[in-house]
Amino acid sequence: MTTSIQPPLQKPPLQKPGIADLDWTLVGFLGVVHGVALLSPWFFSWSALGVMVALHWLFGSIGICLGYHRLLTHRSFQVPRWLEYVLATIGAMALQGGPIFWVAGHRQHHLYTEDAEKDPYAASRGFWWSHMLWMIYRNPKIFNGQIYRRYAPDIARDPYYRWLDRYFLFLQVPVAIALFALGGWPFVIYGGFLRIAVLWHSTWLINSATHMWGKRRFHIEDGSRNLWWTALLTYGEGWHNNHHAYPNVAPAGWRWWEVDVTWYAIWALEKLGLARRVVRPPVEVAAQRL
């Protein structure tokens, strides 16, 4: 009797999406936002620019980095439920998806970092894929709510978060009305369209640039890196190698020179008695000369 030796199973080559797979509605939406943002030089005023910077911080640092990322996704600290809802609502106003979608995608990223098939924004597929192309192709594993909710069951159980996940886009309406009432079209273009576009690319740089360039303090399996200039643009998220090594730690910047504006806000909430169970770097690691 002879036994045949079977060759190991080979993964089929990754199929590159084509034009037919594009989500043209989303492509058009992204194009319109960027197109209107490009009109900003013709509507410039210092007050409009100030509104853009303020809202970039509010929706970016407080909403996305603190609310969506460090609180909802990684549970690196706890706040009262009413405050958690406020922070999640501010995150939804950033126009980067609802809380269930955002949390689920980021948890997949940490579970399967740089896996070309399972990481939604795998840097192994190139800079532009991880930066923005991953969004514009139809992929049910990423965009079908019945599928992505499996990665965020704690968020999906909450009725308010289900509501935000469905209607986050409409939150831009009261924001736009308030901006127009305060400063007309310059405020709408700077505080609305330009703020959205700049914040998009700031956030996307964490998916792309910080998996390609920078320094590696912790030699972990993925290619995450600490990149100082992205940390400045994203309120601390650019200390990405620190974060991937210890994702449930509240501060991303571990040394005094590692500017982490989002951590300063968490620290302030803790001092005010609004944040508790704040996860800090392990003592034995933090004590090392990193």
Side-chain angles (χ1 to χ4, degrees), residues 109-126:
H109 169 64
H110 275 272
L111 281 170
Y112 311 112
T113 307
E114 297 171 2
D115 184 295
E117 295 179 341
K118 296 181 179 180
D119 180 352
Y121 23 89
S124 58
R125 298 183 68 171

Side-chain angles (χ1 to χ4, degrees), residues 75-254:
R75 296 297 182 184
S76 59
F77 63 100
Q78 294 180 3
V79 296
R81 182 52 63 95
W82 67 266
L83 181 55
E84 182 176 305
Y85 285 164
V86 169
L87 294 170
T89 304
I90 296 172
M93 289 179 175
L95 199 60
Q96 295 188 13
I100 306 173
F101 167 79
W102 202 100
V103 169
H106 196 69
R107 287 179 180 174
Q108 289 178 72
H109 169 64
H110 275 272
L111 281 170
Y112 311 112
T113 307
E114 297 171 2
D115 184 295
E117 295 179 341
K118 296 181 179 180
D119 180 352
Y121 23 89
S124 58
R125 298 183 68 171
F127 176 89
W128 286 110
W129 176 268
S130 58
H131 191 73
M132 63 184 296
L133 292 181
W134 66 274
M135 291 184 299
I136 64 175
Y137 290 98
R138 297 183 181 92
N139 187 340
K141 293 180 181 178
I142 300 174
F143 298 107
N144 186 308
Q146 298 301 317
I147 296 175
Y148 69 67
R149 286 180 183 180
R150 300 172 188 169
Y151 294 91
D154 53 324
I155 310 297
R157 281 193 295 267
D158 191 296
Y160 181 64
Y161 290 146
R162 292 198 298 271
W163 183 86
L164 269 185
D165 213 58
R166 177 173 294 183
Y167 297 113
F168 72 92
L169 181 62
F170 296 100
L171 294 178
Q172 297 304 309
V173 175
V175 172
I177 292 173
L179 288 170
F180 187 79
L182 290 171
W185 286 112
F187 274 33
V188 173
I189 291 175
Y190 273 81
F193 291 91
L194 184 61
R195 177 265 306 172
I196 291 169
V198 172
L199 185 54
W200 277 347
H201 287 282
S202 302
T203 305
W204 298 342
L205 282 169
I206 303 304
N207 302 336
S208 54
T210 60
H211 280 266
M212 295 186 175
W213 305 299
K215 296 182 178 179
R216 288 170 56 78
R217 170 175 290 157
F218 298 101
H219 293 281
I220 52 181
E221 291 184 2
D222 62 64
S224 58
R225 287 162 165 76
N226 291 333
L227 192 56
W228 68 270
W229 58 268
T230 60
L232 296 180
L233 290 173
T234 59
Y235 309 100
E237 300 294 279
W239 308 114
H240 206 51
N241 181 246
N242 296 351
H243 173 62
H244 267 260
Y246 294 90
N248 298 110
V249 167
W254 285 24

Side-chain angles (χ1 to χ4, degrees), residues 66 70 76-77 250 262-271 275 278:
L66 189 152
R70 304 193 199 186
S76 59
F77 63 100
T262 301
W263 163 244
Y264 306 154
I266 297 171
W267 178 87
L269 288 175
E270 184 181 36
K271 293 302 179 183
V278 179

